[in-house]
Amino acid sequence: MRLRPAQRVRRTTDFQAMRQQGRRMDCGHFVLAWRIRLAPDGKPAPARVGVVASRASVGDAVERNRAKRRLREIFRQHQTLVPANLDLVLTARGSILRAEFTELAERFASACRRLPAA
């Protein structure tokens, strides 16, 4: 199962809204930020994810892309744990490449259990 375009945060304005209005949760190797997104037609919309990895915190392009692939895969595997109508932004930290994938998945699942139902 791959991520559909409707499941990705892509616009700069959405990332900015997340920084201004969203809440943050420290998950150790990454930071999970979320914001409740209201659907225009009132129907539940699927959860969306955006992934950020900066050069200063993660490293060169190869390392940043590897970190982003890991975070996208974790979301893909655990997307059923994320309540509908939420936008998530996962921000990688430098230690993400040294962590075991199972540890990252456990931290993400634990954080998802603490997210509010939208």
Side-chain angles (χ1 to χ4, degrees), residues 31-43:
V31 175
L32 185 147
W34 78 91
R35 179 177 76 106
I36 296 175
R37 175 177 39 99
L38 302 175
D41 57 0
K43 296 180 183 177

Side-chain angles (χ1 to χ4, degrees), residues 30-101:
F30 60 94
V31 175
L32 185 147
W34 78 91
R35 179 177 76 106
I36 296 175
R37 175 177 39 99
L38 302 175
D41 57 0
K43 296 180 183 177
R48 298 188 310 171
V49 68
V51 179
V52 178
S54 72
R55 182 181 303 163
S57 63
V58 179
D60 65 8
V62 173
E63 293 169 335
R64 289 194 312 272
N65 288 329
R66 183 177 296 133
K68 291 190 287 187
R69 281 195 306 269
R70 293 182 97 185
L71 289 173
R72 278 193 297 264
E73 180 62 16
I74 288 169
F75 176 80
R76 189 191 67 77
Q77 289 180 359
H78 297 89
Q79 60 189 324
T80 57
L81 299 175
V82 180
N85 291 335
L86 280 186
D87 282 350
L88 301 180
V89 172
L90 302 173
T91 305
R93 289 190 170 154
S95 63
I96 194 166
L97 298 177
R98 295 184 301 274
E100 292 290 326
F101 188 82

Side-chain angles (χ1 to χ4, degrees), residues 2-10 46-49:
R2 62 183 278 204
L3 294 179
R4 298 182 311 273
Q7 292 178 286
R8 293 180 183 233
V9 176
R10 293 181 179 207
R48 298 188 310 171
V49 68

